[in-house]
Amino acid sequence: MPGVSDRTGTEAAPGRLIVLLGPSGSGKDTLIGRARAEFSGRPEVMFVQRVITRSAEAGNEDHIAMSDADFDAAIDDGRFALTWAANGLRYGLPRDIEAHLAAGKVAVVNGSRGAWGVIRQVFPSARAVEIRVDAAILAQRLQTRGRESAPEIEARLVRAAALTSQVEPDLIIDNSGSVETAGAMLIDYIGRSAS
């Protein structure tokens, strides 16, 4: 299980946090990108940019890169609403998500299944959208992106299978086929949550 930390004393927010969960390579960032384009110009929907202790050039995720030292300083400064660790990296959600949710609005974030329990503790209004993909397609996507070695890919596939049963999602989206179909499902869910 990944290391996870959270703030204490967070008040329940009236807004809705939509957390995309699924294995690395399942297409969460692609689907978020489609939804971001659909909801551009709608301030009631925030697409949260995560802070990750990974190079900005690694992969295609829109994230804020930080060194471990800078991440520690950000924690000390109280700049995160929530942090967790997975796959040798550390992740943080910026504090501005709290004001957005407190105003009754919707926020969308790429999350982690291993951190889902603490995400729900910190943000009780959080809803899980699980992105699933066929195992063979997932393996191919991980190889194609070239971010991990063969042993690291194998470890990710094992972890993906182990974590599948740990979350009871509010919505399951199969992203093994058409990204247009999967994207439309996510856009519809966000739209209904923001109404």
Side-chain angles (χ1 to χ4, degrees), residues 32 36 42 44 53 55 58 65 80 91 100 114 129 142 144 148 158-159 168 189-191:
I32 287 173
R36 180 183 288 116
R42 292 192 50 189
E44 73 273 20
T53 56
S55 163
F80 294 128
Y91 299 80
H100 188 80
V129 174
L142 290 172
T144 300
E148 297 97 356
V158 168
R159 183 173 183 267
E168 293 182 21
Y189 184 77
I190 295 170

Side-chain angles (χ1 to χ4, degrees), residues 41-57:
R42 292 192 50 189
E44 73 273 20
V45 180
M46 167 192 273
F47 290 87
V48 181
Q49 193 177 32
R50 301 187 300 179
V51 174
I52 308 177
T53 56
R54 175 173 65 208
S55 163
E57 292 78 34

Side-chain angles (χ1 to χ4, degrees), residues 52-137:
I52 308 177
T53 56
R54 175 173 65 208
S55 163
E57 292 78 34
N60 60 2
E61 178 183 354
D62 180 23
H63 70 281
I64 299 167
M66 252 188 207
S67 68
D68 278 305
D70 288 342
F71 197 93
D72 287 336
I75 290 172
D76 291 344
D77 292 343
R79 298 197 325 245
F80 294 128
L82 170 69
T83 66
W84 71 90
N87 300 309
L89 299 170
R90 296 161 72 195
Y91 299 80
L93 299 185
R95 170 108 24 219
D96 61 352
I97 192 175
E98 294 172 335
H100 188 80
L101 293 173
K105 299 176 183 179
V106 172
V108 180
V109 67
N110 181 346
S112 170
R113 292 169 299 168
W116 175 241
V118 77
I119 291 171
R120 283 296 300 269
Q121 288 174 0
V122 176
F123 298 108
S125 68
R127 297 292 178 262
V129 174
E130 185 175 355
I131 309 302
R132 293 185 180 171
V133 66
D134 178 80
I137 293 171

